[in-house]
Amino acid sequence: MKFHPSEELLVGYASGDLNPALTVVVGTHIDMCPRCRSVAEDIQNHMATRELHQSAPLAEPDLNSMLEHIMASESPIVRSAKVHEQVSLEGKVFKVPRSLGRHVDRLGPWSHMPGGLWRAPLELDADSRMNLIYMQENASLPEHTHRGSEATLVLNGVFNDEHDEYRDGDFIFLDEHKHHSPQTTDEDCLTLAYLDAPLQFTSGLARLLNPFSSLFFR
Ligand SMILES: [Zn+2]
């Protein structure tokens, strides 16, 4: 694992400030990454300590309710009762970490797209745009940029773009200025992808595929 969420995102996660979709993407990385888990715990401990100190001048700080408040703010998402351990597609079964597993109930149907891709939407609330994206061997997603940012987490397998190669647990965050063309070679890849604005395809014929972006963005 080479790529991790920025410290800013980890702070946002630990303080419950990320939107529901990013909370799931960052939380799923943390499930897979002992290093970021320990950083997030440090941040949470630090915030809890600071909150206690700031409240110290009060006559009788109600420690229990403060702690409850901190714990409750961990995630703004209503959790469903069942935590799934896997998702399946075309007869293949993929294990999923807990942070994602508790939302698998909301996973929509898989749709098959050109280029060896499958996509299933994960709707957490009206504003989130998140998909599981499966790329079979030798698949490619046309070069694109985004009007907002894109966070991609590799759940299983390997893909690459013109910048690097990404494997299980790698977290890639791209802002609107970054272009990339994800592809797979001889291994397939399952990713969790979050977009905060539609994809814009930038290269040659792929421009004709721009309606395709609405498949990802919804
Ligand atoms: Zn990490």
Side-chain angles (χ1 to χ4, degrees):
M1 209 182 291
K2 286 196 292 186
F3 300 93
H4 305 266
S6 64
E7 192 176 322
E8 190 185 359
L9 278 175
L10 291 176
V11 169
Y13 176 83
S15 53
D17 288 339
L18 300 182
N19 67 42
L22 264 181
T23 300
V24 171
V25 186
V26 174
T28 303
H29 171 83
I30 285 173
D31 287 348
M32 301 172 82
C33 177
R35 183 182 114 175
C36 288
R37 193 179 316 137
S38 126
V39 173
E41 280 167 8
D42 286 349
I43 295 169
Q44 264 164 344
N45 289 337
H46 181 74
M47 288 191 313
T49 311
R50 200 175 54 181
E51 193 150 334
L52 293 182
H53 280 302
Q54 282 174 348
S55 311
L58 293 176
E60 284 195 19
D62 182 351
L63 300 189
N64 282 335
S65 73
M66 262 186 264
L67 285 173
E68 270 169 30
H69 169 74
I70 293 166
M71 302 307 279
S73 65
E74 183 195 335
S75 169
I77 304 164
V78 180
R79 291 170 179 167
S80 56
K82 181 159 169 47
V83 179
H84 296 256
E85 292 180 354
Q86 58 194 38
V87 296
S88 54
L89 167 69
E90 300 279 302
K92 292 179 184 237
V93 173
F94 300 92
K95 273 188 175 285
V96 294
R98 262 189 95 72
S99 294
L100 177 58
R102 61 169 66 105
H103 302 294
V104 166
D105 280 346
R106 295 155 196 250
L107 193 63
W110 287 100
S111 34
H112 190 188
M113 297 181 298
L117 301 167
W118 278 259
R119 159 201 165 274
L122 185 59
E123 285 176 22
L124 297 182
D125 61 28
D127 299 323
S128 68
R129 294 111 200 159
M130 202 155 52
N131 292 287
L132 281 182
I133 294 179
Y134 173 75
M135 304 175 76
Q136 67 180 39
E137 298 84 347
N138 301 306
S140 61
L141 182 61
E143 181 184 68
H144 61 274
T145 181
H146 352 84
R147 270 181 249 157
S149 47
E150 177 190 89
T152 305
L153 175 69
V154 180
L155 296 169
N156 190 281
V158 52
F159 85 88
N160 57 73
D161 62 16
E162 52 274 68
H163 308 294
D164 221 308
E165 183 177 82
Y166 312 97
R167 295 181 172 274
D168 293 27
D170 276 332
F171 177 96
I172 306 105
F173 194 81
L174 295 174
D175 65 24
E176 59 193 314
H177 306 295
K178 295 269 175 62
H179 296 212
H180 73 150
S181 326
Q183 58 177 33
T184 52
T185 53
D186 53 357
E187 259 188 80
D188 58 353
C189 190
L190 181 69
T191 65
L192 177 61
Y194 159 80
L195 282 177
D196 71 4
L199 292 178
Q200 290 284 101
F201 293 104
T202 49
S203 66
L205 279 175
R207 286 174 194 275
L208 298 175
L209 286 175
N210 262 328
F212 179 74
S213 75
S214 65
L215 289 172
F216 283 98
F217 185 74
R218 69 171 197 197

